[in-house]
Amino acid sequence: MSAATGHKRDYSLTGPERLRAMEKGLASAQWYTSPIPRKRLKELMQRRNGPAIRDTLIWFALLIGTGVLAFYSWGTWWSIPAFFIYGILYASPGDSRWHECGHGTAFKTPWMNEVIYQIASFMVLRPATPWRWSHTRHHTDTFIVGLDPEIAQPRPPVWRIILMEFLHLYGGPKDIKRMILHCFGIVDKEQRTYLPESEFRKTFWESRVYVLIFLSVIGLCLYAGSILPAMFIVLPSFYGVSLMLTFGLVQHLGLHEDVLDHRLNTRTIYMNPVFRFLYWNMNYHIEHHMFPMVPYHALPKLHEELKPDFPKPNRSVWETVKEVMIALIRQGKDPSYTIQRVLPATAQPYKYRPTSEEREVTDTMGRAL
Amino acid sequence: MLLEGWIYVCEADAIDEEDVIRFDSGSRSFAIYRSEDNDYYATDGFCTHEKVHLAEGLVMGDIIECPKHNGRFNYKTGQAKKTPACEHLTTYPVQVTDDGKVYIQID
């Protein structure tokens, strides 16, 4: 059953929606790309080491700085804000560095991407190899039900999971369980839909290293008679994810599923410089999905190039959170509810837009279109 | 000059140095490269991982990087160099005539 009929769809990667998407030609399909001169795109695609080295040094310096403050505040009320800030600085940049280094675009030098990718993968508790392939699938089949493993919420949304995710209590244990299975050479059914067998061995060894680190941290806590060591490593992947989750939820939720035009299923949001640093410019998310090989530091310039072909960006994170929450509440009653982005007069028309018979389509203010 | 068994692609200077263009012939698509040292190469046009035109990617030395998933190939040999690209590309002979025209042999 589809969202069009108001019935609940099966979002698993092994269910009937997978076949349906393939039959409809939505799998590994040709996506719309906005016009941009090849020469200019090539300029924007050029890799550089400088910006990512600078940003990585700033990130580690901030982590060490707030870590020292958190350490000395331990046992006082000041440790609550201190660890909150440390956790935010651990998880949010961990997520964006995982993402950008996974694409191989953060640094020009491949080994630098790989080193930071491995560190950041551990920090956000995402086993490096399966998640690299999961994200590859997300880019191939963005928000295609039954094919994209990274759809943040089904329709209607499951509020219990959203609330649990503010402390990473749904996805975290799920990934830890998978890591433990990997240690014994087992890959689950869902992961087998996007992870090739040639990558299994690497996956098993990575998970064994992760589990060894977890055990070492637990051992250290037992030795010290305190959870303090875990407050610096492992636990921030739970208590520090609120901002990371917020950034993640606003990327696609409330917008179209099963379309081949990123302008319809992805948001670009203007953010303040602090958030842009933490998120490594991933707020320019339509730009990133349309041209994923453009490095994060060139995304603002790419945005300027593509602006005339894109719907108006959201003006802030707060505005977007409100928009997404309203959409999720409405989808709770009517799963077909979808926010429609209105294109400027300068834009090329949408390549594929569901008809009003297929979906109830509204603009960002909830007005029917 | 039309070379027997070869298909005309474009004028040699239509491809920038260290760049790639797309060339379609019938239902098939190819990627034609010009290297830093002004040699010309040809491979299948699509990445072997997903159906993405390599001509939209980035040439870096001997490497073509897929524009979608960062998969890499050596376009001179067709060898897959980085996941998610695992299968090699087929390469095709290229000739540049004295009057500056690029031809490929695809069969």
Side-chain angles (χ1 to χ4, degrees):
Chain A
M1 294 288 183
S2 73
T5 59
H7 288 80
K8 201 173 173 180
R9 301 176 76 183
D10 181 351
Y11 282 74
S12 73
L13 302 184
T14 51
E17 290 285 353
R18 182 179 183 82
L19 192 63
R20 181 191 150 275
M22 286 173 173
E23 284 168 358
K24 284 188 81 175
L26 294 168
S28 306
Q30 192 76 39
W31 286 75
Y32 171 78
T33 49
S34 297
I36 176 168
R38 164 84 185 151
K39 206 176 163 199
R40 180 63 179 142
L41 183 61
K42 247 186 87 176
E43 284 167 8
L44 294 171
M45 284 166 94
Q46 296 304 320
R47 310 275 156 78
R48 291 162 63 196
N49 280 333
I53 290 174
R54 177 201 63 207
D55 291 346
T56 303
L57 291 174
I58 294 172
W59 176 36
F60 285 148
L62 288 170
L63 263 182
I64 293 167
T66 52
V68 168
L69 287 178
F71 178 81
Y72 283 109
S73 69
W74 186 242
T76 73
W77 288 105
W78 285 107
S79 67
I80 295 173
F83 274 105
F84 178 75
I85 296 168
Y86 175 82
I88 294 286
L89 289 171
Y90 183 101
S92 298
D95 176 47
S96 54
R97 275 63 178 169
W98 162 83
H99 176 266
E100 187 75 7
C101 294
H103 279 284
T105 47
F107 298 89
K108 187 177 180 181
T109 308
W111 70 261
M112 293 186 188
N113 282 312
E114 193 56 31
V115 167
I116 299 298
Y117 181 71
Q118 291 292 340
I119 293 170
S121 294
F122 177 80
M123 292 172 84
V124 289
L125 293 186
R126 290 179 189 144
T129 299
W131 271 90
R132 192 194 295 274
W133 286 85
S134 155
H135 198 64
T136 295
R137 174 69 41 212
H138 171 61
H139 270 271
T140 301
D141 299 315
T142 312
F143 263 60
I144 306 292
V145 178
L147 292 172
D148 182 355
E150 296 181 12
I151 295 181
Q153 275 297 303
R155 298 174 181 204
V158 185
W159 289 101
R160 176 181 55 85
I161 293 178
I162 296 175
L163 291 175
M164 283 170 79
E165 277 300 81
F166 274 94
L167 289 173
H168 205 191
L169 292 177
Y170 180 79
K174 201 171 158 185
D175 268 318
I176 290 174
K177 187 184 155 196
R178 283 173 166 175
M179 280 176 216
I180 294 167
L181 289 175
H182 296 162
C183 289
F184 295 100
I186 301 164
V187 174
D188 74 22
K189 212 173 156 189
E190 287 249 319
Q191 284 187 317
R192 281 175 186 270
T193 64
Y194 52 82
L195 183 67
E197 266 193 66
S198 56
E199 301 286 295
F200 283 9
R201 196 179 150 80
K202 203 156 96 184
T203 299
F204 299 152
W205 281 106
E206 277 168 0
S207 285
R208 284 166 191 154
V209 171
Y210 285 20
V211 170
L212 196 65
I213 298 172
F214 295 154
L215 293 174
S216 306
V217 172
I218 292 168
L220 204 59
C221 288
L222 290 173
Y223 179 75
S226 162
I227 62 159
L228 188 59
M231 290 296 286
F232 288 103
I233 180 169
V234 182
L235 286 182
S237 317
F238 293 91
Y239 72 73
V241 299
S242 52
L243 189 62
M244 166 185 149
L245 180 78
T246 305
F247 289 162
L249 291 178
V250 296
Q251 288 174 351
H252 306 280
L253 285 184
L255 302 174
H256 285 277
E257 294 170 337
D258 297 346
V259 291
L260 298 176
D261 189 331
H262 291 298
R263 298 173 300 174
L264 274 162
N265 67 7
T266 307
R267 278 185 188 84
T268 281
I269 305 161
Y270 288 138
M271 285 187 181
N272 64 56
V274 174
F275 282 2
R276 279 212 315 274
F277 171 79
L278 296 176
Y279 203 29
W280 256 10
N281 287 334
M282 264 317 114
N283 52 303
Y284 297 108
H285 212 63
I286 308 178
E287 291 83 348
H288 167 67
H289 266 275
M290 208 177 265
F291 297 106
M293 288 304 111
V294 172
Y296 78 96
H297 50 77
L299 283 178
K301 287 178 196 154
L302 181 64
H303 171 69
E304 290 305 315
E305 297 286 339
L306 302 183
K307 217 160 50 174
D309 201 42
F310 278 14
K312 219 172 173 180
N314 287 52
R315 287 170 302 180
S316 69
V317 176
W318 177 237
E319 180 193 78
T320 318
V321 167
K322 277 196 292 186
E323 181 184 291
V324 169
M325 286 301 136
I326 291 169
L328 294 182
I329 290 165
R330 289 189 177 191
Q331 284 175 358
K333 293 173 190 154
D334 173 13
S336 68
Y337 175 80
T338 305
I339 297 166
Q340 170 75 33
R341 295 304 205 191
V342 180
L343 290 174
T346 47
Q348 304 239 17
Y350 286 126
K351 182 175 178 177
Y352 174 72
R353 170 178 161 172
T355 60
S356 55
E357 288 77 35
E358 287 179 283
R359 303 281 166 84
E360 180 194 334
V361 174
T362 71
D363 66 9
T364 52
M365 301 305 287
R367 294 175 297 224
L369 288 171
Chain B
M1 184 181 75
L2 187 64
L3 302 167
E4 200 179 335
W6 293 75
I7 297 175
Y8 171 74
V9 176
C10 63
E11 298 297 310
D13 58 8
I15 312 175
D16 288 339
E17 201 177 290
E18 209 179 5
D19 204 3
V20 54
I21 64 159
R22 172 179 162 181
F23 172 65
D24 294 337
S25 175
S27 59
R28 298 170 69 182
S29 189
F30 303 89
I32 318 294
Y33 310 83
R34 181 175 165 189
S35 66
E36 280 180 296
D37 38 10
N38 283 320
D39 289 325
Y40 290 76
Y41 298 86
T43 69
D44 282 327
F46 290 111
C47 177
T48 56
H49 166 239
E50 300 281 6
K51 199 178 174 189
V52 178
H53 283 287
L54 288 171
E56 289 163 18
L58 190 64
V59 174
M60 299 178 289
D62 296 350
I63 297 296
I64 173 68
E65 183 173 78
C66 170
K68 192 83 175 172
H69 299 123
N70 188 228
R72 291 180 185 178
F73 302 89
N74 181 320
Y75 62 83
K76 295 181 178 176
T77 64
Q79 197 182 14
K81 300 294 279 185
K82 183 179 178 297
T83 58
C86 299
E87 286 176 40
H88 303 325
L89 288 169
T90 303
T91 58
Y92 301 89
V94 180
Q95 271 197 40
V96 182
T97 56
D98 293 341
D99 55 349
K101 295 182 190 307
V102 179
Y103 291 82
I104 62 168
Q105 194 175 43
I106 58 177
D107 290 316

